[in-house]
Amino acid sequence: MIAHGYVPNNFGTSIIVPLVKDRCGDVSKLADYRAISLSPVFAKLFEACLSGKFGVYLQSHNLQFGFKKHLSCSSAVYVAQQVIQYYVRRGSTVYLAALDARKAFDRINNTIIINKLQSRNAPMCFIQIIANWYGKLNATVRWNGVFSRYFDVFCIVK
């Protein structure tokens, strides 16, 4: 697959299952759900192989805490507290701005990801596989055992 830059069509198919965040909350509100995407097992296995082989091209900035092993929001809060304390102890006024980007992650256009890989000089075979895979993304929603029609997915991060 790597040599040909091609993945099977089924690799791009997923089932989205909405899960209630708080069963005691208002289950009629869309905001009280989070979506879990179920992918084929072989696709997940191949994804792990690609990550192991080409993971060096997928590194993020050292100050990004989300979606990294052994780091979390707690790590980011700790770093922010330490920086604030450092400057306050030295008599500086500290101003802080925060951006809630939790929903931005799943809204990245797939073309941007391909362009980013190219700018990082990722091997062409890897870029072709990702582009081929992203070109096949589609999903269905499963709700109480009933499936929606399949629809194409254009903004997602694998």
Side-chain angles (χ1 to χ4, degrees), residues 65 70-81:
F65 293 92
H70 311 296
L71 292 176
S72 65
C73 291
S74 302
S75 306
V77 169
Y78 175 77
V79 169
Q81 287 174 330

Side-chain angles (χ1 to χ4, degrees), residues 13-37:
T13 301
S14 61
I15 299 170
I16 298 172
V17 180
L19 297 178
V20 179
K21 292 180 185 177
D22 179 9
R23 293 202 180 270
C24 297
D26 185 356
V27 295
S28 67
K29 289 186 179 178
L30 182 62
D32 287 341
Y33 288 86
R34 65 185 169 105
I36 301 297
S37 182

Side-chain angles (χ1 to χ4, degrees), residues 44-55:
K44 294 296 288 178
L45 181 61
F46 185 64
E47 187 177 318
C49 294
L50 285 177
S51 180
K53 185 169 179 66
F54 299 108

Side-chain angles (χ1 to χ4, degrees), residues 56-67:
V56 67
Y57 300 102
L58 305 174
Q59 299 301 316
S60 60
H61 194 278
N62 288 339
L63 294 178
Q64 179 179 334
F65 293 92
F67 307 104

